[in-house]
Amino acid sequence: MVVRQVIFMIIAVIFLALGAVGLLLPVIPQVPFLVTGTVFLAGGSKRFKAWLFKTKLYREHGYKLVQKYAILRHILGEDLAMVKVPTE
């Protein structure tokens, strides 16, 4: 568990650094790197994840998005489970 958190934190720092470089250089897109870094940071730090879920921005936009994709994942999972691949 600790190894997973360390790896997530390292990946988060790399993506956040690339996002910061993207803020300075107009050639590199910053938003995908910053969002990816934030996702990995939330996966690596329980305190950051708790803080992120309490923010107004997440409550207004992120929660709806997570619920939407959780429902889609649930529906697709059921549909894919119903498809049987013949073995012979």
Side-chain angles (χ1 to χ4, degrees):
M1 186 71 159
V2 175
V3 174
R4 178 181 175 262
Q5 289 177 336
V6 170
I7 291 171
F8 272 36
M9 295 297 283
I10 291 169
I11 294 171
V13 168
I14 291 169
F15 276 106
L16 291 173
L18 287 172
V21 170
L23 289 172
L24 300 173
L25 299 174
V27 178
I28 301 172
Q30 68 273 11
V31 174
F33 290 119
L34 293 175
V35 170
T36 306
T38 304
V39 168
F40 277 105
L41 191 58
S45 172
K46 293 179 184 178
R47 283 180 55 190
F48 181 77
K49 187 175 184 178
W51 172 81
L52 182 66
F53 288 166
K54 291 179 185 177
T55 62
K56 184 179 178 181
L57 182 68
Y58 177 81
R59 284 183 280 141
E60 289 179 359
H61 303 290
Y63 182 76
K64 294 176 189 175
L65 190 66
V66 167
Q67 293 302 317
K68 176 183 172 184
Y69 284 108
I71 291 170
L72 286 175
R73 197 174 330 135
H74 178 71
I75 292 169
L76 288 176
E78 286 179 359
D79 289 344
L80 292 175
M82 293 170 52
V83 175
K84 299 286 184 185
V85 178
T87 56
E88 293 181 27

